Amino acid sequence: MVTIRVRSKIVAEPPGPAARRVIDVMKRNCYDSTFTYPLVIAGGNGSFLHDVDGNSFLDFTSNIGSCPLGYSHPEIMQILAEQSRNGAHKIAGQDFYCKEHAELSERVASIVPQGFRTFFINSGAEAVENAIKIAYRKMSTTTPSMLPGVSCINAFHGRTLGALSFTFSKPVQKKGYPELPVLRIKFCTSDSDPEIDAAEKLLAENKVAFILSEVVQGEGGYNIASRQFIQNLRRYADRYCVPLILDEVQSGMGRTGKWWAFEHHGVRPDIMSAAKAMQVGMTAYASALDPGEQGALSSTWGGGSRIDMAVGAKIIEVIKEDRLLDNATVMGAKLKKGLQELAGKGGIADVRGLGLMIGIEFDSKQNRDERLARAFKKGLLLLPAGQKAMRVIPSLTITEDEVREGLELMSQVLSG
Ligand SMILES: Cc1ncc(COP(=O)(O)O)c(C=O)c1O
């Protein structure tokens, strides 16, 4: 019999008194955004997050993939200690050079398609924003009018107005905001989907500026594109001479067991976006698409968050040195198998995933939301995705013991 070592610990039912004080202040002063449950983070160690009341949670969110090495990783702590001595910690990074920018670009060059150039920016939305700007710039040299972009149903590409135009995942995200022109296609998860080549007809009938898609939809529900679907997008983009943009903000940087989810599908994009695990936003693109003219892209803080860029570069190094792509593949398979064995319990309708990007589909939104709240009370952190799915995205450093503990907690969450 395997003994499961439980390291999550609830000492004060969350939200405890210290958490409630913080939340009260925020409710008074701040826009009440997408908070899922009342977790007030104090710190963390490895795969565990600690709240301000002394509770420890096994973190299966990694802050939506933004903390791929978990918490207090010694090499990251070392970088933070070094950076703490630098008084010019944040600079106007598209106006002045710094070595952190250069080093991150070198590390990135070793993991993106050969010959790609990079542009660093603040967030995932801005990474997508600049991806579509690069595409428009290219197309505007051949077609002066405002062309539509092609994007998928249930896509999520961020919330700035440009990126939001191509987002689809929830009506509340778009209600009342203006849009750039967009043509929608179905995001096909099966090679035998009758709409697998719908983009071909769309491109034959319309002039478009670009095709934009995720390979694994994140916010939209942890849906994995079929290989044929992504290969078709590549083929049609080539045939009709439009850039293919793949958005890897959530799925990139090793999350799926490869640096980029598109590697599973045997294609390369013309333009790609990343953020989250990289700590800063990044648009990378084939050099032929470089806008050239100075000032076409820029931003005060783009390439200027020196601490974040130094951490991002170290994350890439640690993922390589500690073989964390392999860990994501192996631990992801164990976690997915364990969750699939729980299917049928507690209203689970489906479990799907690539590496450590796993979605659990429930029979209803209400059931999913109740299980999320119950998991939180038991010391397991999870997040919703789409209408009725849960996302499971632990750090890439997760151990076998932590997989077991997570499955044990999940089994309790699903009982009754
Ligand atoms: C695929 C994808 N693109 C873009 C974004 C937007 O990133 P950010 O929240 O950093 O603006 C997200 C965020 O979840 C995402 O998952």
Side-chain angles (χ1 to χ4, degrees):
M1 205 180 86
V2 184
T3 332
I4 295 161
R5 201 153 66 93
V6 174
R7 291 200 287 149
S8 56
K9 199 161 89 188
I10 299 299
V11 292
E13 190 184 337
R20 282 201 299 272
R21 278 196 295 278
V22 173
I23 294 168
D24 283 351
V25 173
M26 287 187 61
K27 293 245 185 245
R28 206 162 50 241
N29 297 325
C30 306
Y31 168 66
D32 195 14
S33 192
T34 48
F35 301 101
T36 306
Y37 35 72
L39 171 70
V40 180
I41 295 172
N45 258 296
S47 294
F48 294 84
L49 264 178
H50 313 308
D51 78 358
V52 286
D53 293 288
N55 295 312
S56 286
F57 300 84
L58 177 57
D59 179 23
F60 273 11
T61 76
S62 61
N63 278 276
I64 331 185
S66 301
C67 303
L69 305 186
Y71 306 100
S72 305
H73 189 285
E75 296 197 52
I76 300 298
M77 298 311 278
Q78 171 75 28
I79 293 283
L80 295 179
E82 281 164 28
Q83 290 286 327
S84 74
R85 293 192 288 274
N86 184 344
H89 68 282
K90 194 163 175 174
I91 60 165
Q94 304 289 341
D95 298 279
F96 302 111
Y97 298 99
C98 65
K99 87 174 177 12
E100 291 80 5
H101 194 157
E103 280 168 7
L104 180 57
S105 75
E106 283 282 274
R107 295 272 159 75
V108 164
S110 71
I111 60 172
V112 295
Q114 219 186 349
F116 268 34
R117 297 177 69 77
T118 44
F119 174 73
F120 293 112
I121 194 78
N122 303 289
S123 62
E126 288 171 281
V128 174
E129 199 75 31
N130 283 284
I132 62 184
K133 280 173 74 177
I134 290 168
Y136 274 128
R137 193 78 168 195
K138 172 74 180 168
M139 296 311 274
S140 71
T141 58
T142 51
T143 320
S145 61
M146 172 63 81
L147 297 174
V150 176
S151 164
C152 293
I153 291 173
N154 291 329
F156 187 85
H157 297 296
R159 296 166 186 272
T160 51
L161 283 179
L164 184 67
S165 303
F166 304 98
T167 284
F168 190 90
S169 80
K170 292 194 186 89
V172 65
Q173 295 159 351
K174 297 175 70 79
K175 196 165 78 185
Y177 303 132
E179 264 194 354
L180 293 174
V182 55
L183 296 171
R184 294 273 169 210
I185 51 171
K186 183 175 177 188
F187 182 85
C188 300
T189 55
S190 156
D191 284 352
S192 54
D193 192 304
E195 292 186 49
I196 194 103
D197 47 18
E200 159 95 277
K201 188 162 179 288
L202 209 67
L203 292 176
E205 291 172 356
N206 301 276
K207 242 186 151 0
V208 308
F210 54 84
I211 304 172
L212 166 63
S213 183
E214 293 150 280
V215 177
V216 182
Q217 286 187 328
E219 167 70 18
Y222 274 41
N223 308 310
I224 305 165
S226 88
R227 187 178 166 86
Q228 192 60 55
F229 176 67
I230 295 293
Q231 290 196 343
N232 280 356
L233 294 187
R234 178 67 275 171
R235 199 166 30 248
Y236 305 148
D238 287 341
R239 190 171 300 159
Y240 293 93
C241 296
V242 295
L244 173 64
I245 308 172
L246 294 177
D247 181 357
E248 293 270 4
V249 165
Q250 193 155 164
S251 56
M253 291 280 289
R255 172 64 34 202
T256 65
K258 295 194 184 285
W259 282 109
W260 311 107
F262 59 69
E263 294 172 50
H264 290 279
H265 291 59
V267 300
R268 57 179 266 181
D270 302 301
I271 309 174
M272 58 187 285
S273 50
K276 297 193 190 293
M278 192 173 282
Q279 311 299 294
V280 291
M282 177 199 76
T283 314
Y285 53 92
S287 53
L289 295 173
D290 197 292
E293 197 182 351
Q294 223 183 12
L297 311 174
S298 192
S299 152
T300 303
W301 300 133
S305 299
R306 301 179 73 184
I307 301 175
D308 290 333
M309 290 187 297
V311 171
K314 181 55 81 174
I315 286 173
I316 295 175
E317 187 186 313
V318 172
I319 291 176
K320 281 184 184 172
E321 283 182 357
D322 292 358
R323 304 180 68 86
L324 294 181
L325 300 186
D326 293 346
N327 197 56
T329 304
V330 173
M331 292 302 149
K334 286 183 196 288
L335 196 47
K336 188 163 80 170
K337 181 165 175 285
L339 290 169
Q340 278 165 340
E341 281 163 12
L342 294 173
K345 215 174 161 184
I348 292 186
D350 185 35
V351 176
R352 51 186 176 255
L354 266 185
L356 284 169
M357 189 168 185
I358 302 172
I360 310 174
E361 188 79 27
F362 280 81
D363 52 359
S364 71
K365 175 177 175 354
Q366 187 191 343
N367 187 23
R368 186 270 316 267
D369 290 347
E370 282 170 12
R371 308 274 170 192
L372 273 175
R374 195 189 293 185
F376 171 58
K377 299 265 178 205
K378 284 191 174 293
L380 176 65
L381 302 177
L382 294 155
L383 281 170
Q387 298 307 319
K388 50 191 174 69
M390 238 182 226
R391 50 188 126 184
V392 181
I393 26 172
S395 73
L396 305 182
T397 51
I398 190 171
T399 64
E400 192 151 4
D401 268 1
E402 290 158 357
V403 167
R404 280 202 211 100
E405 176 172 344
L407 289 171
E408 170 58 29
L409 286 169
M410 200 62 195
S411 166
Q412 293 171 23
V413 167
L414 293 169
S415 303

